[in-house]
Structure formats: C-alpha cells, structure tokens
Amino acid sequence: GAGVSQTPSNKVTEKGKYVELRCDPISGHTALYWYRQSLGQGPEFLIYFQGTGAADDSGLPNDRFFAVRPEGSVSTLKIQRTERGDSAVYLCASSFTLTSGSTDTQYFGPGTRLTVL
Amino acid sequence: GIQVEQSPPDLILQEGANSTLRCNFSDSVNNLQWFHQNPWGQLINLFYIPSGTKQNGRLSATTVATERYSLLYISSSQTTDSGVYFCAVLIRNQFYFGTGTSLTVIP
C-alpha cells in the first residue's frame, strides 16, 4: 500500500484479556518500529525489527508484551493479560535501512487506540 | 539517560506570524526527524535532518549536531499548522521523542 496501515483502529477490551495489534509497513521497508503513546506525551519506543528479527526489544515494558514479524513484512504486537495501564495509542513506523546501518526517514501509521476496561 | 527536550511546551500564534521551535538532545545522534501530529493523531514526517539545513515551503529546519540541538522554523503560520510538533532522535537503534510543542494558530 501507499502508507503504513494498522488494524484495528480502535480496540476495547476487558482487563485480563489477550489482544493482537497488526501493522502493515510500506512495501520494501526493512525496519519496523512499535511505539506506545499516552495522552499528552510523545511516543515511547517499544521494539525495533530489522527484517524478521527483533534487533532491540528493550522498550517492551514487561513479559506480557511480545511482537513478531515472521516474514519480514507484517508485524503483530501481542499483549497478554491486559491491564488498565496498557490503555494508549500503539503506533507503528517503518523505514528503509541505510547502507551505513542507520535508519532512514520513519513513516508512521495512524495507530491503534487500545482501551482496557 | 537520554534526554530530548523541546521548547516552548505551548505556543499560541496569530495567523501569519513566524515561530521557532527548539529541540535539545543529550547524546550524539545518527538520525533526527521532526514530526507534526495533527488533531487526529497522525504523525506526519516534516524533515529528516541529522545535520545541516533543509527547507520545505514555509517550513525549514536546522540541526547543529556538534552542539546537540535542532530548530524548526515556521513562517507565515496558518491555522492548519496547529497541532503538536515532535522531534525524535535515533541513538543506538532506539528513537527517543521529545515531549512536544503544542502549537495553536488562531485566525
């Protein structure tokens, strides 16, 4: 597609449930990032994929959070035993990787607004 | 830890006015981007500018990497410029966002 897409756009769940959030990056982008944005704050890094592998998952808050990118394209962020504090907008971004190894311009999806009741 | 500070936190402008937004960062960066988050929450890339100066229409940005700051200039502001402006820096595979500048342009 033309841009990064994320589904669903909104997700309401109950405390303790499991949720999956999906990100479709721009075709050909090797780098993929997940962020979480709480109200009034800037996005907070969660995890970074280079191809199929998680190059840096140090931003995941705890072991209830997990993400995969099995074919190096679509990624799924999985949250187990959701808590009210997980409520936020979850953002995905993708980019090319430069020959230097650094990341080129990031392009963001519209986000998934997660509400845990 | 890594710090990315933006100033001012809030800004109200009359339509047609100019403004300068600042981003200070605490470490050497591989990448720096400026974003505009519109009222619907979409983050829109404005500039990829790890160093130097770039211009795009009414917007321009300058990054002085050796002094660890970047500036975003908005000239002849319009009501559609309203929203939150973020800078984000890439340090060792992680992007760190500033706390943003909330801009309101009034007609």
Side-chain angles (χ1 to χ4, degrees):
Chain A
V4 179
S5 62
Q6 293 185 245
T7 55
S9 55
N10 280 284
K11 176 71 177 177
V12 180
T13 191
E14 293 179 345
K15 181 175 177 296
K17 299 290 188 183
Y18 167 83
V19 297
E20 290 189 352
L21 312 179
R22 177 187 168 106
C23 172
D24 274 273
I26 293 173
S27 178
H29 279 187
T30 52
L32 186 146
Y33 291 80
W34 282 99
Y35 296 86
R36 178 169 68 176
Q37 187 174 23
S38 300
L39 193 63
Q41 298 183 16
E44 174 190 20
F45 169 81
L46 295 177
I47 186 169
Y48 158 56
F49 285 91
Q50 185 59 249
T52 60
D56 188 337
D57 64 357
S58 61
L60 296 177
N62 51 61
D63 61 5
R64 295 187 297 105
F65 288 75
F66 189 71
V68 295
R69 194 186 185 198
E71 298 178 358
S73 178
V74 170
S75 177
T76 304
L77 178 67
K78 308 180 181 192
I79 309 174
Q80 299 177 320
R81 305 183 303 279
T82 51
E83 300 177 357
R84 292 193 180 87
D86 298 335
S87 296
V89 176
Y90 289 81
L91 295 164
C92 174
S94 71
S95 72
F96 288 113
T97 302
L98 302 175
T99 52
S100 63
S102 184
T103 302
D104 200 359
T105 304
Q106 288 187 99
Y107 295 91
F108 277 80
T112 293
R113 182 174 299 278
L114 176 66
T115 303
V116 182
L117 301 177
Chain B
I2 307 294
Q3 300 207 11
V4 183
E5 297 176 346
Q6 291 187 243
S7 59
D10 299 281
L11 185 59
I12 299 174
L13 295 176
Q14 199 77 41
E15 196 169 28
N18 304 328
S19 64
T20 301
L21 281 56
R22 187 177 180 103
C23 172
N24 292 333
F25 43 94
S26 62
D27 207 337
S28 300
V29 302
N30 304 112
N31 176 337
L32 185 146
Q33 287 187 251
W34 281 97
F35 294 92
H36 176 217
Q37 190 164 41
N38 65 24
W40 297 271
Q42 177 70 52
L43 276 162
I44 299 165
N45 174 61
L46 298 176
F47 293 102
Y48 167 82
I49 186 164
S51 63
T53 297
K54 290 187 177 179
Q55 180 153 8
N56 184 4
R58 296 182 297 104
L59 303 182
S60 65
T62 295
T63 297
V64 183
T66 53
E67 297 185 22
R68 299 184 182 169
Y69 74 88
S70 184
L71 302 174
L72 178 69
Y73 305 96
I74 304 174
S75 64
S76 304
S77 57
Q78 301 176 357
T79 56
T80 52
D81 295 333
S82 296
V84 182
Y85 289 80
F86 289 104
C87 69
V89 299
L90 176 67
I91 299 173
R92 295 184 291 277
N93 288 331
Q94 290 195 22
F95 271 98
Y96 296 85
F97 277 75
T99 50
T101 292
S102 179
L103 173 65
T104 303
V105 181
I106 54 177

